[in-house]
């Protein structure tokens, strides 16, 4: 009998995981000496670049009386709050000046901090590290450093092209992610003559294996019913084309296609903006078609179409979810979604107990579905 999870209520409180790097804004939109607003995990941020081009991220609320710092003045080094003129170093958030203090008032202003976040530029995006909630010391805590660098796209040669795409979805992070890893919606949502049609549905069998904090669809020859892969076959022997897809907490989906000396890599993230809103960012890098002028545009067009179809679907889904319907996850097409929820639960449990995370997958598994 197929494994069918009992209908369950939608989790209204889709937990957003802290202690990870998240993509905040596309790097090419952030200019020196300017301030930009962003929201990650319901945290308001002000993001910018100093006069040397180094990015920074601060909590968009002055530690004095909460004025949004993005309304302040920025000279490329310090940010001055628009209310009482307190100044903060944009990189570590440390207070530099309180204009109202008189010469004999000895307040130690270097103990005051605007909330500051570790920030890195990587593969077309400004990434921000969202630490676990710190003990309440608002206004007096220096920032928490990230334990590792922001995620990167794997590149296999020095020369490559890259592009990014983004779309906002009015659904929680969980629906955004399980929509991303869902193998069964392709023929219905992404129908197009150049991609695949409902008539091309056939049975698929894919091997999955556990990897740290996630799972991998093991290297395989891509689906025969997809046009981009047909294109790839112009470059390489069909049998030499392999694709590997990884999902890793909190929100990273990596796809790598290799065809001889050619490669295509993408890193897609679903970022929680608020509890009921997420954003999908796809960054792709490739060394294929580099010298054929219009192919990158074509590729971008195809991807943009896909992302828009997913966005539109989730927009419609959000209407249905408003009524808190019963939901179900079925075997095997929804198994990756179940792994996602199990991984998330295992991660939180490991954090709570301090005991090493127990991976929900016992070992390699083969899943079958039609798409
Ligand atoms: S609120 Fe920012 S200086 Fe007073
Ligand atoms: Fe999709």
């Amino acid at each position: 009998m197929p494994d069918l999870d009992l209908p369950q209520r939608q989790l209204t409180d889709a937990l957003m995981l802290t202690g990870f790097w998240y993509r905040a804004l596309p790097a090419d939109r952030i200019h020196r000496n300017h301030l930009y607003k962003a929201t990650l995990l319901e945290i308001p941020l002000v993001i910018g670049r100093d006069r040397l081009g180094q990015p920074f991220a601060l909590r968009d609320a002055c530690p004095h009386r909460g004025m949004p710092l993005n309304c302040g003045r920025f000279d490329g080094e310090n940010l001055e709050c628009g209310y009482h003129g307190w100044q903060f170093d944009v990189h570590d958030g440390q207070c530099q000046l309180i204009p109202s203090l008189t010469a004999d008032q000895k307040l130690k202003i270097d103990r005051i901090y605007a909330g500051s976040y570790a920030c890195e530029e990587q593969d077309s995006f400004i990434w921000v590290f969202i630490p676990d909630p710190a003990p309440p010391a608002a206004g007096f805590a220096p920032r928490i450093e990230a334990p590792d660098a922001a995620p990167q796209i794997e590149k296999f040669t020095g020369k490559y092209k890259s592009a990014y795409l983004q779309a906002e979805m009015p659904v929680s992070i969980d629906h955004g992610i399980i929509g991303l890893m869902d193998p069964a919606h392709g023929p219905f949502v992404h129908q197009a003559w150049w991609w695949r049609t409902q008539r091309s549905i056939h049975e698929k069998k894919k091997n999955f294996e556990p990897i740290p904090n996630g799972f991998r669809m093991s290297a395989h020859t891509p689906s025969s019913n997809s046009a981009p892969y047909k294109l790839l076959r112009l470059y390489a022997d069909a049998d030499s084309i392999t694709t590997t897809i990884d999902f890793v907490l909190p929100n990273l989906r990596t796809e790598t296609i290799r065809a001889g000396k050619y490669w295509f890599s993408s890193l897609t993230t679903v970022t929680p903006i608020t509890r009921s809103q997420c954003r999908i960012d796809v960054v792709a890098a490739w060394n294929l078609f580099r010298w054929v002028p219009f192919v990158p545009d074509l590729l971008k067009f195809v991807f943009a179409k896909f992302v828009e179809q997913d966005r539109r679907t989730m927009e419609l889904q959000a209407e249905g979810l408003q009524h808190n319907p019963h939901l179900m996850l079925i075997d095997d097409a929804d198994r990756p979604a179940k792994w996602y929820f199990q991984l998330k639960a295992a991660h939180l449990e490991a954090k709570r107990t301090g005991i090493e995370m127990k991976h929900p997958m016992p070992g390699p598994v083969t899943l079958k579905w039609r798409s």
Side-chain angles (χ1 to χ4, degrees):
M1 200 184 115
D3 167 13
L4 173 70
D5 267 9
L6 287 177
Q8 46 192 257
R9 282 288 176 191
Q10 176 199 2
L11 287 174
T12 46
D13 186 27
L15 238 125
M16 304 181 286
L17 297 181
T18 52
F20 290 103
W21 285 97
Y22 287 99
R23 277 175 173 152
L25 290 169
D28 62 355
R29 289 192 211 154
I30 308 301
H31 304 290
R32 289 173 193 213
N33 306 344
H34 284 78
L35 301 173
Y36 303 84
K37 278 165 57 158
T39 306
L40 289 179
L41 287 72
E42 298 196 330
I43 300 168
L45 298 172
V46 53
I47 290 179
R49 285 186 197 279
D50 64 16
R51 61 166 67 103
L52 298 173
Q54 278 304 315
F56 62 84
L58 297 173
R59 182 178 264 273
D60 194 14
C62 180
H64 181 211
R65 295 246 287 280
M67 182 76 169
L69 290 173
N70 79 81
C71 314
R73 241 202 315 267
F74 177 46
D75 63 4
E77 197 171 331
N78 290 330
L79 201 167
E80 181 185 271
C81 178
Y83 202 170
H84 312 94
W86 290 22
Q87 286 186 17
F88 304 95
D89 177 303
V90 288
H91 290 292
D92 61 11
Q94 194 174 41
C95 185
Q96 305 296 311
L97 178 80
I98 296 184
S100 63
L101 290 177
T102 62
D104 59 334
Q105 289 171 340
K106 295 290 177 237
L107 180 71
K108 290 203 181 77
I109 62 169
D110 57 354
R111 287 172 47 234
I112 298 174
Y113 287 90
S116 156
Y117 295 85
C119 187
E120 267 180 33
E121 184 166 350
Q122 196 62 263
D123 297 325
S124 316
F125 270 81
I126 306 289
W127 293 72
V128 172
F129 180 76
I130 304 294
D132 291 330
F140 295 100
R143 84 154 171 225
I144 297 168
E145 293 305 331
D148 47 13
Q152 270 195 57
I153 297 182
E154 195 175 3
K155 298 140 196 124
F156 301 93
T157 48
K159 283 196 174 153
Y160 58 87
K161 291 211 165 201
S162 74
Y164 73 85
L165 277 175
Q166 38 180 203
E168 289 205 7
M169 325 260 190
V171 293
S172 72
I173 176 72
D174 290 344
H175 279 293
I177 284 182
I178 67 175
L180 183 75
M181 59 178 56
D182 165 17
H185 74 287
F188 302 93
V189 171
H190 302 300
Q191 270 188 62
W193 61 266
W194 41 263
W195 175 245
R196 52 175 67 163
T197 62
Q198 282 189 37
R199 268 175 303 141
S200 73
I201 293 184
H202 62 267
E203 187 168 315
K204 292 187 184 141
K205 204 166 156 182
K206 298 272 156 67
N207 299 320
F208 290 81
E209 57 194 286
I211 55 174
N213 266 325
F215 53 88
R216 164 171 298 165
M217 187 192 282
S218 317
H220 61 281
T221 307
S223 164
S224 57
N225 59 352
S226 67
Y229 296 135
K230 284 179 190 155
L231 252 181
L232 269 165
R233 288 183 190 167
L234 302 174
Y235 283 83
D237 189 22
D239 301 335
S240 78
I241 305 175
T242 58
T243 173
T244 309
I245 302 175
D246 286 358
F247 174 79
V248 173
L249 284 180
N251 67 345
L252 309 165
R253 180 193 192 269
T254 315
E255 178 160 10
T256 311
I257 304 171
R258 305 203 64 176
K261 61 183 176 183
Y262 301 109
W263 57 271
F264 174 95
S265 270
S266 66
L267 175 60
T268 303
T269 51
V270 184
T271 301
I273 307 298
T274 64
R275 273 173 214 287
S276 57
Q277 196 188 6
C278 62
R279 194 190 61 234
I280 180 162
D281 299 307
V282 186
V283 181
W286 62 89
N287 77 339
L288 293 153
F289 328 115
R290 261 197 320 123
W291 52 92
V292 191
F294 81 100
V295 173
D297 297 319
L298 184 76
L299 218 60
K300 193 162 172 173
F301 169 80
V302 170
F303 265 85
K305 200 117 188 162
F306 268 38
V307 171
E308 173 53 22
Q309 287 164 337
D310 283 329
R311 192 200 62 75
R312 179 65 189 139
T313 303
M314 289 190 197
E315 192 173 75
L316 295 169
Q317 185 191 12
E319 286 177 27
L321 291 175
Q322 269 177 17
H323 310 288
N324 193 22
H326 287 288
L327 304 172
M328 53 181 84
L329 294 173
I330 64 153
D331 206 10
D332 276 352
D334 290 335
R335 189 79 71 84
K338 286 190 202 174
W339 290 333
Y340 164 67
F341 285 115
Q342 289 165 355
L343 277 167
K344 207 169 156 180
H347 169 81
L348 290 167
E349 182 61 12
K351 243 179 172 172
R352 196 181 62 80
T353 57
I355 300 168
E356 202 188 333
M357 172 169 157
K358 194 169 168 287
H359 202 292
M361 289 171 77
V365 185
T366 303
L367 299 185
K368 288 198 299 185
W369 68 82
R370 286 168 49 80
S371 70

